Amino acid sequence: MKSWQELLNDYLNGTLSATDRADFERYIAENPERRAEFESWQAVREAVVEEAGSRVNHLPPLQLDRFDVSRNGYSEKGFQTMTSITLDRRTTSQRTAPRPSLTLAAAILAVIAVIALLIFNQRPDDQPPVAAPQPEETASPTAIPPTQTVMASATYTDDQKATISAEFGPTSTPTVHARWTQQPSIPGGTVTPSQIEPLVSAPATLIDRQQVLVGEVPKHVALSPDGQTLAVSAQSGVYLYNAADLSQQPHVLPVSDALSAAFNPDGTRIATLDFQANLQLWDQEYNSLVILGQSGLWGDLYFEDERIVSTLGTGIVIVDGNSLRTEPREATTTYLVSSPDGTINLAVRGDGTILTSDGKRYEIPATFIRQIVVDNARLLLADDGQIILVSLETGQVIETVDYGSGYVTGLAMSETHAAFTVNARSLHTLWVWNMESNQANPAMVYDIPLLDPVFTANDRFIVASDDGWLFTLSTD
Amino acid sequence: MQHDTDPDLPLLQAMAQGDKSALNELYARHGQHILSYLIGQLSDRQLAEEVLQDVMLAVWHSANRFRAESKVKTWMMSIARFQMLQARRRHKLTSVPLNDELFSDSTGPPGILQTKLDRQAVREAIRRLPADQQETLELIFYHDLTGPEAAEILGVSPGTIKSRIHRAKKQLRGLLQEAKP
């Protein structure tokens, strides 16, 4: 039997079962004193969550190069008494002096200076300075623009110097750098993301932008099969937007801690997944049809005819009318993905092994596959440092593009273009790859992580940022 | 204690086999919460980010030793706290004494906050609580841990957690009444 305090905590944390929750609510409704205590703690909980949640607006990438040494582990007990551990200490031992704080004005002025330089450096043919040159007669498999550097700096009365630089171009490895040399910050807080303008350059044009979420981070963006509706998963629900003008539709699917969503092939249903792995199916009128707890799904959702698969997880969910049932999948760490028409189903292992539903097996030389997307003939893989385009017919690599350092957070492919977002420490870049001319270029730099580009129509695509913006860009 | 339904367990098992995608997934699930905790305790975002890398490295190295005697999340938070304390020592940061002996076990009368509270006032009042009480409230309310789990992470008894919560309640009442115009 739980104590009142334990029940209260469980209720506040949302971990009570539906029955216990109903009992609890009935109890506090009938006991004014308990109700007052409950309301007080609810206010405290909200304040604690708000305070703690406001500290982190994006998560830095893992330094995966540090994870290759043999294990030398922790036990589950004894943390309080351990005095030494064997760990690779490169990061902390080489920690430089704390960065001096940078004023808000520093960040804004530096951005303005960068933009000004971008404008003044335009060449007579109106090509922005970071634009790619026209390809040579024969494009190499990794066509990359020549080195071009854009840099701006600003000096302030407190002798702190802020520099923003953007460097685009080829080196043997990394091919692109752009960074805040000092993190924009002000004493007592950080610059709010909306005060930083993205740098957009050829081959993309910024068509539209809307901040659709305030105070929370979009986790996933899905596009309906007709290209008309975006489903943006976030902490407080799954929000629907018109892809054409980014206006919000009146329906919000009340999914707490939503992780991802997917439309079924005819667009009449939406499946949503939350961080507790609960899967929920909604009809065209956005009525909840069924909830499946602990679905075994994780990551991005896909419909595959009457099955729902996820890129990660331990299960596959079968849709049977208005009911759902789960089945185990073969490997917990294999990515599953389906083509838009549901006819091609692939399992891709992190090491680049690809298994097709018709029994083929391909081995693609890869270090660590993070993102995959497939159309009806091609497979696009995001590996460490490179994007790989593979023919589904032959299993051969068609092209690769080096993107340098960082890791890919989102990947999309249209008939003629690919778009992918790269997250590196203090640098977040959107790349556009014109597959016809085999030109790949960084098209947008932002100080906030970018995710999930989706192609809509007319070579337009939409990309989301962690500060709740949707950007519509064109590759014309 | 078995945690067969712990959704993180398959990831840890995959990590024990050397699967980095599982590591990434675990990081995606808990990195933000751990980073928030580290920033709160270290008051230095850059250092907190570096310690976070160390935490994940330790988790990676130790995945094959995890025996599911606690939830994966609780175990990770324990590592985070240990690494945070190490970082404080290395960088000679002011440590926060968790001096429970200064307080009696008696929590006094039930500290019921009777008023409808303004959220900003509550946030201000929470910031003025002793660090050990803030840390306890945060583990329970933000990290969704139970009292025993928070006790395990902080290396104190579950009774100490209860008494910290009671004291926090009592002090919040006082601070909020103080803040009233």
Side-chain angles (χ1 to χ4, degrees), chain A residues 183-194:
Chain A
Q183 195 76 281
S185 63
I186 53 175
T190 55
V191 174
T192 57
S194 60

Side-chain angles (χ1 to χ4, degrees), chain A residues 24-92:
Chain A
F24 182 89
E25 286 168 352
R26 221 176 1 259
Y27 176 73
I28 59 173
E30 293 165 357
N31 292 272
E33 191 176 85
R34 291 296 200 202
R35 177 161 193 82
E37 182 174 5
F38 162 72
E39 286 177 351
S40 301
W41 276 117
Q42 197 171 32
V44 171
R45 179 184 184 277
E46 284 170 4
V48 169
V49 170
E50 197 173 277
E51 176 77 18
S54 67
R55 293 182 198 134
V56 180
N57 56 15
H58 72 277
L59 194 58
L62 275 180
Q63 296 166 3
L64 285 168
D65 57 323
R66 300 178 66 201
F67 289 76
D68 286 328
V69 289
S70 62
R71 291 187 167 81
N72 186 358
Y74 276 81
S75 69
E76 287 160 67
K77 292 179 179 172
F79 291 108
Q80 313 305 321
T81 55
M82 289 180 73
T83 54
S84 65
I85 50 173
T86 306
L87 286 176
D88 179 349
R89 284 268 170 224
R90 268 179 293 170
T91 302
T92 44

Side-chain angles (χ1 to χ4, degrees), chain A residues 59 62-68 71 312 333 335 368 370, chain B residues 8 10-16 18-31 52-53 55-63 76:
Chain A
L59 194 58
L62 275 180
Q63 296 166 3
L64 285 168
D65 57 323
R66 300 178 66 201
F67 289 76
D68 286 328
R71 291 187 167 81
L312 295 169
T333 56
Y335 298 93
F368 178 46
R370 295 169 189 278
Chain B
D8 296 327
L11 291 178
L12 212 65
Q13 288 163 347
M15 284 167 58
D19 190 312
K20 284 184 181 172
S21 67
L23 170 71
N24 268 293
E25 204 56 50
L26 198 68
Y27 183 62
R29 289 186 192 185
H30 300 299
L52 176 63
Q53 299 287 337
V55 171
M56 295 309 298
L57 187 62
V59 169
W60 170 250
H61 284 191
S62 309
M76 289 175 73

Side-chain angles (χ1 to χ4, degrees), chain B residues 5-124:
Chain B
T5 58
D6 186 344
D8 296 327
L9 202 49
L11 291 178
L12 212 65
Q13 288 163 347
M15 284 167 58
Q17 305 297 315
D19 190 312
K20 284 184 181 172
S21 67
L23 170 71
N24 268 293
E25 204 56 50
L26 198 68
Y27 183 62
R29 289 186 192 185
H30 300 299
Q32 191 162 335
H33 270 69
I34 294 173
L35 181 58
S36 170
Y37 171 76
L38 294 172
I39 293 172
Q41 296 299 311
L42 296 169
S43 301
D44 180 334
R45 186 185 174 93
Q46 188 186 9
L47 177 60
E49 287 190 2
E50 289 166 0
V51 173
L52 176 63
Q53 299 287 337
D54 288 345
V55 171
M56 295 309 298
L57 187 62
V59 169
W60 170 250
H61 284 191
S62 309
N64 56 350
R65 297 191 178 191
F66 184 78
R67 293 188 302 277
E69 291 173 355
S70 63
K71 282 200 293 192
V72 172
K73 179 180 167 183
T74 311
W75 178 64
M76 289 175 73
M77 287 300 295
S78 299
I79 294 175
R81 188 164 194 275
F82 176 77
Q83 294 282 359
M84 178 272 293
L85 293 171
Q86 296 283 87
R88 271 188 186 161
R89 277 193 281 275
R90 278 199 305 275
H91 296 280
K92 296 182 170 51
L93 300 177
T94 308
S95 63
V96 179
L98 301 179
N99 194 350
D100 292 309
E101 288 71 31
L102 293 177
F103 301 92
S104 75
D105 282 337
S106 166
T107 58
I112 299 169
L113 306 171
Q114 296 285 7
T115 52
K116 186 77 177 174
L117 302 172
D118 173 70
R119 185 179 294 187
Q120 188 54 34
V122 177
R123 282 180 73 170
E124 289 298 325

Side-chain angles (χ1 to χ4, degrees), chain A residues 43-49 51, chain B residues 119-131 133-134 137-138 141 172 175-176:
Chain A
V44 171
R45 179 184 184 277
E46 284 170 4
V48 169
V49 170
E51 176 77 18
Chain B
R119 185 179 294 187
Q120 188 54 34
V122 177
R123 282 180 73 170
E124 289 298 325
I126 290 169
R127 288 189 194 122
R128 292 172 62 191
L129 287 176
Q133 292 176 23
Q134 283 186 44
L137 287 180
E138 192 172 311
F141 287 144
L172 279 173
L175 289 167
L176 287 164

Side-chain angles (χ1 to χ4, degrees), chain A residues 103-319:
Chain A
T103 64
L104 175 60
I108 293 171
L109 279 174
V111 170
I112 292 169
V114 169
I115 294 168
L117 272 174
L118 283 169
I119 294 167
F120 289 128
N121 281 346
Q122 284 198 341
R123 292 173 289 186
D125 61 359
D126 264 346
Q127 287 291 317
V130 293
Q134 292 305 306
E136 300 293 331
E137 283 188 7
T138 306
S140 69
T142 53
I144 298 293
T147 301
Q148 194 136 20
T149 302
V150 180
M151 187 170 286
S153 64
T155 306
Y156 299 95
T157 53
D158 57 1
D159 293 333
Q160 294 174 356
K161 188 173 182 181
T163 304
I164 296 175
S165 67
E167 303 171 22
F168 301 99
T171 57
S172 53
T173 56
T175 54
V176 57
H177 312 272
R179 63 180 181 274
W180 303 100
T181 52
Q182 292 180 322
Q183 195 76 281
S185 63
I186 53 175
T190 55
V191 174
T192 57
S194 60
Q195 291 169 306
I196 305 297
E197 290 294 316
L199 296 174
V200 180
S201 65
T205 310
L206 184 62
I207 304 292
D208 192 10
R209 56 183 289 188
Q210 300 277 344
Q211 187 170 24
V212 297
L213 295 172
V214 178
E216 59 180 314
V217 178
K219 299 296 184 192
H220 180 254
V221 180
L223 184 67
S224 62
D226 62 5
Q228 301 293 310
T229 304
L230 293 170
V232 178
S233 301
Q235 186 180 12
S236 60
V238 177
Y239 295 81
L240 303 172
Y241 302 92
N242 296 312
D245 60 4
L246 303 181
S247 60
Q248 187 177 349
Q249 296 180 5
H251 310 285
V252 178
L253 305 182
V255 179
S256 182
D257 280 335
L259 179 63
S260 61
F263 293 87
N264 71 341
D266 64 10
T268 56
R269 290 180 168 186
I270 301 177
T272 59
L273 184 67
D274 69 20
F275 268 79
Q276 283 71 48
N278 301 310
L279 183 74
Q280 199 161 355
L281 195 60
W282 307 79
D283 68 12
Q284 203 162 12
E285 305 301 318
Y286 310 108
N287 298 309
S288 175
L289 297 173
V290 61
I291 301 176
L292 178 65
Q294 294 298 315
S295 63
L297 303 182
W298 190 258
D300 299 349
L301 288 182
Y302 296 87
F303 263 92
E304 185 188 290
D305 291 333
E306 292 306 309
R307 302 201 310 168
I308 303 172
V309 299
S310 56
T311 49
L312 295 169
T314 58
I316 290 171
V317 171
I318 311 298
V319 182

